[in-house]
Amino acid sequence: MREKWILETKRADFDDLAGKLGISPLAVRCMVNRGVMKPEKMRLYLNGTREDLPEPYRMKGMERAVELIARAKERGERIAIASDFDCDGIFSAYILWKGFGRLGMDSRIYTPDRVKEGYGLNERIVREACADGRSLLVTCDNGIAAKDEVKLARQMGLTVLVTDHHEVQGELPEADGILDPKQEGETYPYKNLCGCGVAFKLLCALYDRWEIPEEEKWDLLEYVAIATVADVMELMGENRILVKEGLAALKHTKNTGLRALLTVMGLGGEDAPKTEIRASKIGFVIGPCFNAPGRISTVAESFGLLMEEDWERALERAEELKSINEERKAMTEEGAKKAFALIDSRAEREGGLPSVLLTVLPDTHESLAGIIAGRVKERYHHPAIIFTETEGGMLKGSGRSIESYDMFQELFQCSELFVRFGGHKMAAGLTLPAENIDELSRRLNEQATLTEDDFCPEVRIDAAMPIGFATERLVEELNRLEPFGTGNPKPVFAEQHFKIRRARRLGKEGNILKFRVENDRNSQIDALLFWEADRFDEFVREIWGERELSRMYEGRENNLDVAFTYYPMVDEYQGMKNIQIQILNYCHVPR
């Protein structure tokens, strides 16, 4: 798949800003490229702390929400927390359960069965909460689209408080109170909180109301950080502060279950992490372990770990989550291969790919559809929806989109075809009768206005920078731009002409490449390319041939001339520090 390498050319007085902020012009350039343009915004971006978080009462509906909780507390009412089965839902529910307990209130978490019931509040949860003697129902990370279920709950005598962060679909549910930064007339300055972020703001208001010590409020930040990253939220504005502060708190977490998981995953010990915990570790290690049980087992496994206080039992539970996630990864790999084969076969038959890729995988576990859709989107750079078969002749789908395609709005135009539907610009979930799939495919592809350029992924380069400028001090400065993720990607640098002096494969599966490279200025550096060794070999064969590939691995003079995008890193081994680069993309640029 070809890529468009685009050098960012946003303008600013980089030297002047660097002088005012006490950082390098290159770091300023990276901030400007991410839309952070003014000195005060840059200072907040670099140095923002919990003291810079907006007051919770600026959120529309917060006074009403606190009033509902206060009334329930005065009356000794018991609370039902209606959650979800993904990371955001898990941590939203957990901090509400923990917070309500701190207020002396009895609460219980209710979650839907992913396979049998699907996402969000449902009739079974409402009836079960009533049967358990709960009188206040608080949703988290869901509820804004549950109009019928909220109506039923109120008819059955429950007071309902919806806390959510998803897009509003038409009219709001007739709840007693609603917190959702996406609702019309919202007064909160930051709209991109995850569900756990919204729950956290509610608890901040409650803790202030009952004068609970400030530090107990901040103890919740590690959970908000995990949920924010795992839910792929934009790491700018308030989210950036929540994640930065939360990752710092996670290093010293008091939660026995989290400490156990860090230990089991090789990130920590019983007392403290072994290594710096970055946002990427949440996205690729910690988050998937909490998500996996809700996909192929039961979400109770995740809550059990968070609530476990015995160290030995916590280690056992953490091992169970790790094992479940390994099983989930194997199942995902199998499903992705099937999807790729079906899509490639269709493209061969029809002479190309449709704009929107709809694929049915009958034998795949439905909880994996979203992950597989993400894999398909990454491979082909097309919007993708993966469907699995359910009972009653229904198909359940999960979609992932590209930046130039608003999946929520496009699907919304076809909503009469669905039994159930929800989501946002970049992802969506839906259920529809199997007989409607062809009509959905036809309409989505007819109304799509995507062009070939949209299907070509862009590589945004912050600066053309010779590797000689990669120093330990620069790496330290770039670390100040963390946490990296959605909306705040890791900086990308590029240089066009590298000779490869030698190469070898690393890792258990030999899929990591380590190079010694040299640029036109005769600067040399070690470079690592993760997970793409086979693809890089094919790239070399295609342009220079098998003989030159062999010479590269033998460390002999060869004709390779490769352009790299990269990120500089410090490699520390036995007390010695060396600068190396991580290769992000590669191509050949003729001289």
Side-chain angles (χ1 to χ4, degrees):
M1 180 171 54
R2 65 189 179 92
E3 300 165 331
K4 289 185 291 187
W5 289 21
I6 300 171
L7 180 64
E8 296 281 11
T9 56
K10 293 186 175 71
R11 293 173 178 252
D13 191 335
F14 300 117
D15 291 333
D16 180 64
L17 287 166
K20 290 177 179 176
L21 296 165
I23 58 174
S24 71
L26 185 62
V28 173
R29 182 184 292 274
C30 291
M31 286 192 284
V32 169
N33 288 344
R34 282 146 189 76
V36 186
M37 310 293 286
K38 298 180 179 178
E40 60 271 21
K41 293 288 185 183
M42 289 180 173
R43 288 192 181 93
L44 186 64
Y45 177 96
L46 291 168
N47 307 312
T49 69
R50 61 185 69 167
E51 304 305 320
D52 297 299
L53 297 174
E55 287 295 319
Y57 280 100
R58 296 180 68 181
M59 188 175 289
K60 181 180 179 181
M62 186 61 76
E63 288 188 11
R64 175 62 173 161
V66 171
E67 177 188 316
L68 292 172
I69 303 295
R71 188 175 68 187
K73 179 172 165 52
E74 288 167 8
R75 296 175 178 177
E77 295 180 6
R78 300 161 75 199
I79 302 174
I81 302 170
S83 180
D84 193 24
F85 34 65
D86 71 357
C87 235
D88 194 13
I90 291 164
F91 285 97
S92 301
Y94 177 72
I95 68 168
L96 287 176
W97 174 81
K98 191 176 175 69
F100 292 150
R102 181 64 180 85
L103 297 179
M105 303 179 75
D106 180 306
S107 66
R108 177 183 165 188
I109 298 169
Y110 298 78
T111 56
D113 183 292
R114 183 189 286 266
V115 175
K116 294 178 182 176
E117 299 170 324
Y119 160 85
L121 183 64
N122 60 52
E123 182 178 338
R124 191 266 307 163
I125 290 175
V126 171
R127 295 190 181 280
E128 198 172 311
C130 285
D132 289 343
R134 308 282 154 179
S135 51
L136 172 61
L137 175 68
V138 180
T139 74
C140 53
D141 189 34
N142 78 99
I144 203 68
K147 300 177 185 66
D148 293 341
E149 292 79 6
V150 168
K151 184 176 182 180
L152 174 65
R154 296 190 72 203
Q155 287 174 346
M156 296 186 71
L158 288 169
T159 300
V160 181
L161 170 60
V162 168
T163 78
D164 201 349
H165 73 118
H166 290 97
E167 298 286 350
V168 177
Q169 299 180 36
E171 295 180 1
L172 292 169
E174 295 178 2
D176 297 276
I178 295 176
L179 295 177
D180 187 331
K182 302 263 178 37
Q183 65 178 304
E184 188 176 346
E186 179 56 63
T187 52
Y188 196 70
Y190 189 70
K191 308 295 190 287
N192 292 317
L193 295 172
C194 68
C196 191
V198 176
F200 173 70
K201 303 309 289 195
L202 171 61
L203 289 174
C204 285
L206 294 173
Y207 279 28
D208 289 345
R209 165 78 177 259
W210 276 279
E211 298 181 346
I212 291 172
E214 283 272 306
E215 281 310 307
E216 294 191 42
K217 181 194 303 182
W218 307 132
D219 283 345
L220 303 174
L221 281 173
E222 62 198 54
Y223 310 111
V224 184
I226 295 172
T228 301
V229 175
D231 214 42
V232 201
M233 303 306 295
E234 180 185 74
L235 297 189
M236 295 294 274
E238 183 170 0
N239 280 345
R240 178 173 168 78
I241 297 174
L242 293 172
V243 173
K244 185 191 289 187
E245 294 273 356
L247 290 176
L250 188 58
K251 290 172 63 175
H252 312 287
T253 180
K254 300 169 188 172
N255 186 288
T256 305
L258 273 180
R259 288 205 320 273
L261 187 63
L262 292 174
T263 300
V264 164
M265 300 308 293
L267 297 176
E270 182 175 353
D271 298 319
K274 293 177 181 175
T275 183
E276 188 76 17
I277 299 177
R278 302 188 187 278
S280 59
K281 295 295 184 184
I282 303 294
F284 293 106
V285 180
I286 298 173
C289 285
F290 280 103
N291 268 328
R295 294 184 184 281
I296 61 174
S297 180
T298 168
V299 73
E301 300 270 5
S302 298
F303 284 116
L305 178 64
L306 285 173
M307 295 175 181
E308 184 59 65
E309 296 182 355
D310 178 79
W311 176 246
E312 294 303 323
R313 180 62 184 133
L315 284 173
E316 291 174 8
R317 287 184 178 275
E319 289 285 2
E320 288 169 12
L321 256 66
K322 180 182 178 182
S323 176
I324 292 169
N325 190 45
E326 291 298 324
E327 181 184 358
R328 188 273 308 164
K329 285 197 285 189
M331 293 167 65
T332 300
E333 192 62 35
E334 181 183 353
K337 286 179 179 176
K338 288 180 181 177
F340 298 156
L342 288 169
I343 292 166
D344 290 344
S345 175
R346 178 180 178 182
E348 192 173 332
R349 287 195 316 270
E350 299 179 2
L353 293 172
S355 293
V356 186
L357 305 177
L358 279 68
T359 307
V360 180
L361 300 178
D363 302 321
T364 297
H365 199 288
E366 68 178 60
S367 67
L368 304 178
I371 304 176
I372 296 170
R375 293 278 299 276
V376 171
K377 185 261 292 187
E378 290 298 322
R379 184 182 181 101
Y380 301 98
H381 205 69
H382 281 239
I385 308 175
I386 296 295
F387 293 90
T388 56
E389 293 179 345
T390 63
E391 296 177 359
M394 292 288 176
L395 295 177
K396 189 173 286 187
S398 188
R400 298 294 182 269
S401 195
I402 58 178
E403 194 61 43
S404 52
Y405 186 80
D406 189 328
M407 184 167 280
F408 179 84
Q409 290 300 330
E410 296 294 330
L411 284 170
F412 190 72
Q413 294 180 50
C414 307
S415 57
E416 74 277 6
L417 298 175
F418 313 141
V419 174
R420 196 176 180 92
F421 163 64
H424 51 80
K425 177 182 176 181
M426 300 302 289
L430 59 151
T431 303
L432 77 168
E435 60 266 23
N436 289 357
I437 184 73
D438 289 339
E439 176 65 8
L440 176 62
S441 180
R442 183 189 68 79
R443 285 174 58 175
L444 286 179
N445 280 289
E446 282 186 0
Q447 69 195 32
T449 57
L450 296 166
T451 67
E452 283 303 312
D453 271 355
D454 294 316
F455 303 136
C456 182
E458 294 181 350
V459 177
R460 293 277 172 177
I461 298 167
D462 287 286
M465 186 174 78
I467 53 171
F469 287 84
T471 63
E472 191 174 332
R473 180 177 177 182
L474 174 65
V475 172
E476 289 173 359
E477 280 216 329
L478 294 176
N479 286 342
R480 293 186 64 189
L481 308 184
E482 294 212 38
F484 299 132
T486 303
N488 187 47
K490 183 179 283 191
V492 177
F493 307 106
E495 191 169 4
Q496 286 192 346
H497 299 290
F498 283 100
K499 297 174 183 176
I500 298 182
R501 292 305 183 191
R502 61 178 180 269
R504 61 190 176 102
R505 289 187 177 230
L506 305 174
K508 276 195 303 186
E509 298 174 13
N511 56 359
I512 300 170
L513 273 175
K514 183 172 185 178
F515 303 103
R516 185 68 178 176
V517 300
E518 180 180 331
N519 67 4
D520 282 351
R521 303 183 183 196
N522 303 120
S523 296
Q524 291 194 11
I525 200 167
D526 286 335
L528 290 169
L529 175 64
F530 293 98
W531 324 128
E532 289 212 5
D534 290 340
R535 285 183 66 184
F536 189 82
D537 285 0
E538 285 303 312
F539 160 73
V540 172
R541 285 192 191 97
E542 184 179 329
I543 299 174
W544 294 281
E546 188 71 42
R547 179 174 176 273
E548 296 301 310
L549 178 67
S550 297
R551 294 174 74 87
M552 178 189 82
Y553 278 114
E554 292 164 3
R556 298 165 63 194
E557 190 71 28
N558 58 69
N559 293 320
L560 272 62
D561 180 8
V562 187
F564 290 134
T565 69
Y566 69 90
Y567 184 80
M569 306 180 296
V570 175
D571 177 46
E572 187 167 359
Y573 181 69
Q574 294 184 341
M576 297 289 291
K577 292 183 178 181
N578 293 296
I579 296 296
Q580 59 185 23
I581 59 172
Q582 179 187 348
I583 297 168
L584 306 173
N585 313 89
Y586 50 87
C587 73
H588 172 54
V589 180
R591 290 182 182 266

